[in-house]
Amino acid sequence: MKLYILRRLAQMVLTLLVITIVVFVLSRMTGDPLALMMPQDARPEDFAAIRQKLGLDKPVVVQYFMYLGGVARGDFGKSYKFGEPAAGLVLQRVPNTAQLTFSAILVGVLLGLPVGILSAVKRDSLFDRFGKAIALVGQAAPTFWVGIMLILFFSVRWRLLPTSGQGDWHHIILPAITLGIYPVAGIARLTRSAMLDVLDREFIKVVRIKGAPELNVILKHALRNAAIPVVTFLGVTVGALLSGTVVTETVFAWPGIGKLTVDAILFRDFPMVQAAVFVSALFFLLINFAVDIVYLYVDPRISYR
Amino acid sequence: MQETIATQLKSPGRRRLTMAWAGVRRLPILPSAILGIVVFCAIFAPLLTPYDTSTPDTGALRQPPFWLQGGTMSHPLGADQLGRDILTRVVFGARISLLVSVIAVFVAGTAGSTIGMVAGYFGGRIDTLLMRLVDGMLALPYMLLALVIVAVLGASLGNVIFVIALVLWASYARIIRGEVLSLKEREYIALARVAGASPWRIIATHIFPNVVNTIIVLATLQMGTVILFEAALSFLGMGVPPPTPTWGGMVAEGRRFLSTAWWLSTFPGLAILVTVLAANLFGDWLRDHLDPLRQQV
């Protein structure tokens, strides 16, 4: 198992290296960043001076290794837009994105789990059918549109919650629900099918015959055994949610990594794009890695060579 | 009795038609109907509406849908900030959504399945190399990757399709490889090899027909995801550029007028929702019907 973890770590470093190459090559293909940075009346000498200062006059391969050396030290260069180290600016945003992702998962568990359990217990009831329909719609609705519709009703019409930005806890409700729709749907569907599966087993009958109260049977004996696929789904979802944050943060002007990246791409702020994509990829990989390690402990049936 | 024999003796063409009809009758009605309508709209868009998608009309600026005060049947779903008919733009928007998702899924499916079959059949070093590549692709935050690539290459129809295909192929490769690994242990494959068939011939005539169901189901299940992905790119301004109407782009443009003209953003979003829902339901039905993925899900 130690070997497995080591191999996974090596693989992660390799993936990160590939990402640096991809992002570097791509961002150098995107056109002259100076065209956007310099004032209209700048003279050619000014261009040359800035180019030299930023190292943009050297061959691309040299630029890449300069950049890679910087990456190793956590230095992605200064943001063209803000004039501050890009890595620092990106890292400042990490807590905001983490907060949003965590809230979305919380929404997913708090809504999805009870709906899934009730649907399984009251199988084929009106509630079950309603829940299934909601889950199907939840997985088909575009995130950005859900966000905009929530703003339309809760902010514009009823004036209950702020439209965007970050402030007290009111500000996170709509973004968290928007990003949480997908996990709610997934968790509800999975919990339902896993619970149905478990409730059919012999040991549940035994527990019932022994006279355990029904609530106890469902919440203690059945749910505990139905939890594994749900935990698995959560692990996979955290990665997907990081992609969802790009859209959600843009809709709600939430100051996280996703919005920062979109803004940086639109501004052709190379160092910022590189730092943001690198940091996102790093978190993405770390979370997937952590999830795999957790499985190792949660489900002893899984073995890794 | 005689009659039944007579029916069975009907020409093979007739019988094939009857069988096809039996297949059609089992289709899930609502999802098939919705998808049919969307495809119809995409193909015949210019014939369905008297308006075009880009000519402004100052007489109809942000005109509400017909059931609200100030709305008329000449713009049933209202008009946008330039007075363009929203129903027209939603109908035309189906073109981009379908075009992008069908081509992207086809390209990704073809490339990914081929790579998966090659990796699975040949095994060894090729397999290791290709699967590392697949792992790497699946480990990338795909939304950011797509955004960066589109930003660099420029937002155009071709580039959007390319980017989506690029982030999709890996999942085909992984699943098809898994199927091929078990297939190639079968006896008839060994017999074909003994008979002197070349590896490529075996892949084409013995492996491919056995995984094609899986590919079709996977492709159908992915259609919805791809439509959502394309819409998200358009919403972020990295999709097919205006004035071509895209559902995601329309939602984005309408956002600024949310407090005064909610219909600008609402209807294109509804179009996405309904189409994706239908595609997902159809995919679910197809999976239950063709059944190849059941063991893996």
Side-chain angles (χ1 to χ4, degrees):
Chain A
M1 188 170 112
K2 253 185 201 148
L3 198 71
Y4 169 76
I5 294 177
L6 278 177
R7 244 183 50 200
R8 277 298 312 267
L9 276 172
Q11 208 177 313
M12 256 169 59
V13 173
L14 214 68
T15 312
L16 279 176
L17 213 60
V18 171
I19 290 172
T20 61
I21 295 175
V22 170
V23 172
F24 177 82
V25 170
L26 284 172
S27 60
R28 288 304 133 105
M29 284 164 63
T30 178
D32 195 349
L34 295 188
L36 276 164
M37 288 167 60
M38 302 294 281
Q40 291 281 325
D41 54 349
R43 292 161 302 157
E45 302 96 273
D46 298 336
F47 270 92
I50 294 280
R51 214 175 284 271
Q52 200 177 10
K53 198 176 152 213
L54 296 174
L56 290 171
D57 55 343
K58 300 205 172 65
V60 175
V61 179
V62 176
Q63 283 187 44
Y64 173 71
F65 280 103
M66 279 168 56
Y67 155 75
L68 198 62
V71 170
R73 279 174 278 127
D75 175 13
F76 288 86
K78 282 183 180 167
S79 155
Y80 295 159
K81 191 177 173 188
F82 299 101
E84 285 174 50
L89 288 168
V90 173
L91 286 176
Q92 277 173 23
R93 304 289 189 98
V94 171
N96 290 338
T97 298
Q99 212 176 58
L100 181 58
T101 312
F102 183 76
S103 311
I105 291 174
L106 205 65
V107 169
V109 174
L110 288 182
L111 284 177
L113 213 56
V115 169
I117 295 172
L118 259 175
S119 296
V121 174
K122 308 260 177 216
R123 187 181 187 173
D124 292 329
S125 65
L126 207 64
F127 180 86
D128 183 20
R129 273 178 221 167
F130 187 68
K132 197 178 167 194
I134 295 283
L136 278 169
V137 170
Q139 287 187 320
T143 312
F144 54 89
W145 183 74
V146 170
I148 289 174
M149 288 300 111
L150 288 174
I151 292 177
L152 175 61
F153 286 103
F154 288 92
S155 308
V156 177
R157 286 277 162 86
W158 302 330
R159 305 195 173 281
L160 292 174
L161 293 164
T163 53
S164 61
Q166 198 191 22
D168 59 359
W169 60 272
H170 287 101
H171 287 82
I172 204 169
I173 296 179
L174 292 185
I177 294 175
T178 304
L179 191 58
I181 294 281
Y182 185 80
V184 168
I187 290 173
R189 281 180 86 168
L190 259 175
T191 308
R192 178 182 179 274
S193 66
M195 283 293 283
L196 282 179
D197 200 36
V198 173
L199 284 172
D200 243 18
R201 300 236 193 105
E202 294 290 322
F203 78 91
I204 293 290
K205 283 179 201 154
V206 174
V207 176
R208 280 204 177 117
I209 290 166
K210 281 168 78 181
E214 189 59 22
L215 204 66
N216 209 339
V217 173
I218 292 162
L219 290 185
K220 196 173 153 204
H221 298 277
L223 186 60
R224 195 182 284 173
N225 283 284
I228 289 175
V230 180
V231 172
T232 309
F233 174 79
L234 272 182
V236 181
T237 313
V238 174
L241 280 185
L242 277 179
S243 280
T245 55
V246 176
V247 168
T248 310
E249 288 178 2
T250 307
V251 171
F252 290 97
W254 184 261
I257 298 184
K259 183 163 182 352
L260 188 75
T261 314
V262 173
D263 291 347
I265 288 173
L266 293 174
F267 196 81
R268 302 211 188 293
D269 191 343
F270 290 167
M272 195 71 124
V273 172
Q274 288 163 0
V277 173
F278 186 84
V279 170
S280 311
L282 185 65
F283 274 95
F284 192 87
L285 291 172
L286 281 175
I287 289 169
N288 283 341
F289 179 64
V291 168
D292 280 355
I293 300 298
V294 168
Y295 292 159
L296 230 51
Y297 289 99
V298 172
D299 193 345
R301 283 170 302 182
I302 301 171
S303 70
Y304 293 97
R305 277 162 294 134
Chain B
M1 183 66 193
Q2 262 183 349
E3 214 173 32
T4 41
I5 291 170
T7 358
Q8 280 167 5
L9 288 176
K10 270 180 192 160
S11 72
R14 268 295 273 290
R15 236 184 66 210
R16 213 171 297 143
L17 213 69
T18 329
M19 277 166 63
W21 176 241
V24 169
R25 263 182 32 199
R26 278 201 303 265
L27 285 176
I29 300 167
L30 198 60
S32 319
I34 293 172
L35 288 181
I37 292 171
V38 175
V39 172
F40 183 81
C41 285
I43 295 173
F44 295 106
L47 304 177
L48 296 175
T49 153
Y51 304 102
D52 73 54
T53 56
S54 51
T55 313
D57 174 8
T58 44
L61 296 181
R62 279 178 269 158
Q63 185 182 315
F66 72 89
W67 63 88
L68 292 181
Q69 197 173 15
T72 57
M73 273 315 279
S74 60
H75 296 294
L77 298 185
D80 70 3
Q81 72 278 10
L82 299 174
R84 299 171 298 189
D85 182 52
I86 289 185
L87 183 60
T88 300
R89 288 174 62 79
V90 168
V91 166
F92 271 87
R95 294 193 144 183
I96 296 298
S97 266
L98 287 192
L99 201 67
V100 168
S101 43
V102 169
I103 299 180
V105 166
F106 182 78
V107 172
T110 312
S113 312
T114 310
I115 290 170
M117 285 190 288
V118 167
Y121 185 77
F122 289 103
R125 211 172 278 172
I126 301 177
D127 185 31
T128 316
L129 186 75
L130 289 174
M131 282 306 114
R132 280 289 144 279
L133 196 65
V134 167
D135 286 343
M137 282 308 296
L138 292 175
L140 291 172
Y142 56 92
M143 188 52 128
L144 287 180
L145 187 72
L147 285 178
V148 174
I149 296 175
V150 175
V152 171
L153 299 179
S156 71
L157 182 64
N159 288 342
V160 169
I161 293 173
F162 168 72
V163 161
I164 296 178
L166 190 71
V167 298
L168 282 185
W169 67 269
S171 50
Y172 289 89
R174 169 166 290 173
I175 290 177
I176 296 304
R177 171 185 173 265
E179 295 241 307
V180 173
L181 281 185
S182 71
L183 267 179
K184 78 171 180 185
E185 301 305 325
R186 302 270 180 84
E187 227 162 75
Y188 66 91
I189 303 277
L191 285 176
R193 212 176 298 152
V194 171
S198 75
W200 294 106
R201 194 187 153 80
I202 293 177
I203 288 178
T205 59
H206 298 298
I207 304 270
F208 177 70
N210 283 299
V211 294
V212 71
N213 271 5
T214 308
I215 299 175
I216 291 173
V217 169
L218 204 58
T220 318
L221 285 173
Q222 241 179 15
M223 284 298 289
T225 319
V226 177
I227 293 173
L228 285 176
F229 195 22
E230 185 275 327
L233 284 178
S234 294
F235 176 77
L236 294 172
M238 299 285 171
V240 179
T244 310
T246 58
W247 289 340
M250 288 173 74
V251 175
E253 278 177 36
R255 241 182 100 191
R256 284 183 293 144
F257 306 98
L258 202 57
S259 52
T260 51
W262 55 266
W263 49 93
L264 267 58
S265 283
T266 305
F267 294 122
L270 268 179
I272 304 173
L273 170 64
V274 171
T275 310
V276 173
L277 189 60
N280 285 350
L281 287 171
F282 192 81
D284 282 347
W285 174 84
L286 204 64
R287 180 194 52 207
D288 295 344
H289 206 72
L290 297 178
D291 207 31
L293 283 176
R294 175 102 0 125
Q295 316 91 299
Q296 285 166 39
V297 171

